[in-house]
Amino acid sequence: MFYNTYYERFVRYALYYVNDKPTAEDMTHDALLYYWENRHKLPSDTDILGYILLSVKNKCLNYLKHLKVEIEYSKNCTDLHGWEIITRIQTLEDESYGVIFSKDITKIIMESLSELPEQTQNIFILNRLKNKSRKEISMMLGVSQQKIDYHVNKANDHLLKKLKDYIPFILLLLN
């Protein structure tokens, strides 16, 4: 009887703020249910309607704050998406993008190589960038050709991990 008497009154109050009837009904239901389940814990002189009204008010406030966060997030996503589209258009219109992209890839390769042990770096640079054969490197450094293969493969694996996002673009540039 208590629920039926006050339910609509609190729904109208919540609806004024949240502007969504199912949400207002859920909030009112939750506030009334919470009161009913915890009524024995409240002091006997508690203003019941004021208590429930405050509970509904707080639920509305939390809902609106959450909605604000969602809207800001959505706006940020929209801004990011817009920036991404503009960047793609500029990239497609810019004829020198291939040159810029090649410099970026070279920078990433050099930074990635610097993360490797010195011997692996040297062997990779001699083999891949200075076009030395396995045999030449083996004689220069006094290591076996299997060791050369090991270090080149180690560097290749490391670079593949670092460049995995760029591989489709690299393939386009090579064509």
Side-chain angles (χ1 to χ4, degrees):
M1 186 170 133
F2 176 82
Y3 185 91
N4 291 332
T5 304
Y6 296 106
Y7 178 78
E8 284 301 321
R9 184 183 302 180
F10 290 117
V11 168
R12 281 193 305 272
Y13 175 78
L15 183 59
Y16 177 78
Y17 291 103
V18 299
N19 202 28
D20 181 51
K21 185 149 181 151
T23 302
E25 290 172 342
D26 287 346
M27 289 176 177
T28 300
H29 174 77
D30 291 348
L32 287 167
L33 186 62
Y34 182 82
Y35 161 73
W36 191 255
E37 290 175 346
N38 295 289
R39 70 186 184 280
H40 302 297
K41 298 176 186 174
L42 298 173
S44 59
D45 63 339
T46 300
D47 175 16
I48 297 168
L49 297 179
Y51 179 84
I52 296 169
L53 184 65
L54 185 61
S55 179
V56 171
K57 174 189 158 198
N58 288 335
K59 288 181 182 303
C60 290
L61 194 57
N62 289 339
Y63 173 81
L64 292 172
K65 285 179 181 178
H66 180 74
L67 200 59
K68 181 182 174 188
V69 168
E70 285 181 350
I71 289 169
E72 288 174 5
Y73 174 77
S74 176
K75 182 181 177 288
N76 288 340
C77 285
T78 302
D79 290 348
L80 181 62
H81 184 67
W83 173 82
E84 187 177 7
I85 289 171
I86 290 168
T87 302
R88 288 179 183 176
I89 290 170
Q90 289 173 343
T91 300
L92 290 170
E93 290 176 345
D94 189 0
E95 295 174 13
S96 64
Y97 182 70
V99 173
I100 294 168
F101 187 74
S102 296
K103 289 179 183 177
D104 288 344
I105 294 295
T106 303
K107 181 181 176 193
I108 293 169
I109 289 172
M110 297 316 285
E111 287 173 356
S112 297
L113 285 176
S114 71
E115 296 170 359
L116 293 169
E118 188 175 339
Q119 187 175 23
T120 304
Q121 287 179 41
N122 291 338
I123 290 172
F124 182 84
I125 290 170
L126 288 170
N127 182 254
R128 300 294 184 176
L129 303 179
K130 295 187 178 179
N131 296 320
K132 300 284 184 194
S133 70
R134 291 171 45 230
K135 188 175 183 178
E136 290 174 309
I137 298 169
S138 174
M139 291 173 58
M140 285 173 60
L141 301 178
V143 295
S144 69
Q145 289 186 20
Q146 290 82 9
K147 195 76 155 178
I148 304 298
D149 291 339
Y150 167 78
H151 287 288
V152 170
N153 288 332
K154 182 177 178 180
N156 282 337
D157 289 343
H158 183 72
L159 288 172
L160 274 174
K161 287 177 189 169
K162 293 292 185 172
L163 294 170
K164 70 178 187 274
D165 295 332
Y166 297 89
I167 290 175
F169 299 114
I170 292 171
L171 293 174
L172 281 174
L173 287 176
L174 293 176
N175 289 337

